Amino acid sequence: MGEPWSAVDALFERHLLPTDPVLEAALANSAAAGLPPHAVSPTQGKLLNLLARMCGARRILEIGTLGGYSTIWLARALPEGGELLSLEISAEHAAVARQNLARAGLPNAEVRVGDAHESLRALVAEGVAPFDLVFVDADKKSGPAYLDHALALSRRGTVIVVDNVVRGGAVLDEESADANVRGVRALLARMGSEPRLSATAIQTVGSKGYDGFTLAVVE
Ligand code: SAH
Ligand code: DHB
Ligand code: MG
């Protein structure tokens, strides 16, 4: 028998996640458009949805949209009048995501094209209202910079989630030349020493292999 993780994820999905043609279409549409298969897994998407509901999020910021799969899970958690903004550097990815969001009937989710560093700087400069939940899932080398921006766009109680902080254990390599691994390691160090944050991390195994999230709340 191979790794049982994917089969266990399938079991969880069968029991806990009803068949969802909208989400399945979003993945199929993304694959057909040639996007990489980097969306969060269904159980991880549901976790994002539950976290957003548990903290009563009305304003959600996502960094890294891809085809909008995680975006749909998050936007579905919003109450009437809630808003989601997702930042994506690739116009092609954003176009696919907008299609998927339109099909999902989520007009309150906006995709903004541009380098997230620039978009975040602009949001801070505009003085937008703080976000209630921030999901960081773009280039991993920029983790510390995204954390700084997320903090600038937060209030006390804001939840900050970062994806892909394990990468099959690659994060253990202190000498890694991989900018993404270095970014995750720097992010973990920053999160632990940042007095405005209370943070933990969870390792995940499942249909996306061995990876993990950091979870934090702004003090
Ligand atoms: N959150 C998505 C997956 C995102 S994959 C989901 O789970 O469904 C990472 C995305 O980040 C890719 O679409 C990539 O184009 C985008 N990205 C990479 N660097 C970026 C940057 N500097 N600014 C904004 N988006 C970036
Ligand atoms: C990969 C997975 C992700 O969740 C992501 O955000 C980026 C890349 C990957 O499997 O390479
Ligand atoms: Mg990810």
Side-chain angles (χ1 to χ4, degrees):
M1 183 170 142
E3 303 291 5
W5 306 326
S6 291
V8 172
D9 248 11
L11 173 75
F12 288 164
E13 287 173 35
R14 210 155 58 235
H15 285 296
L16 307 175
L17 281 70
T19 306
D20 195 319
V22 166
L23 286 166
E24 281 164 19
L27 288 179
N29 193 31
S30 299
L35 271 51
H38 292 171
V40 294
S41 70
T43 54
Q44 291 171 337
K46 180 94 181 252
L47 173 63
L48 294 172
N49 176 277
L50 294 176
L51 288 170
R53 287 159 60 193
M54 285 171 183
C55 72
R58 303 185 61 85
R59 285 174 55 75
I60 297 177
L61 175 65
E62 177 176 67
I63 309 174
T65 318
L66 193 62
Y69 181 79
S70 55
T71 322
I72 293 173
W73 276 111
L74 286 165
R76 282 179 172 176
L78 290 168
E80 191 72 30
E83 294 172 323
L84 180 150
L85 176 61
S86 188
L87 309 178
E88 172 55 55
I89 199 166
S90 157
E92 289 76 23
H93 295 183
V96 174
R98 285 173 181 144
Q99 269 180 10
N100 287 334
L101 288 162
R103 286 190 194 148
L106 294 165
N108 52 346
E110 181 195 336
V111 181
R112 191 166 298 177
V113 175
D115 184 343
H117 298 275
E118 293 307 317
S119 302
L120 290 161
R121 238 191 300 281
L123 288 168
V124 174
E126 284 165 31
V128 294
F131 292 91
D132 306 311
L133 184 147
V134 184
F135 178 49
V136 182
D137 192 20
D139 54 308
K140 313 308 162 187
K141 66 180 183 303
S142 302
Y146 293 149
L147 181 64
D148 284 339
H149 288 301
L151 280 165
L153 293 165
S154 291
R155 56 162 173 85
R156 190 169 170 223
T158 293
V159 170
I160 301 176
V161 182
V162 185
D163 192 24
N164 308 115
V165 299
V166 176
R167 305 308 289 265
V171 69
L172 286 172
D173 184 0
E174 289 174 31
E175 313 281 287
S176 179
D178 180 337
N180 294 319
V181 169
R182 299 176 75 89
V184 171
R185 291 181 61 89
L187 172 81
L188 291 170
R190 265 292 320 276
M191 282 188 129
S193 61
E194 171 55 65
R196 286 173 291 174
L197 282 180
S198 183
T200 191
I202 51 169
Q203 303 184 62
T204 55
V205 290
S207 56
K208 297 281 296 188
Y210 174 33
D211 213 325
F213 289 107
T214 59
L215 302 174
V217 67
V218 177
E219 301 286 10

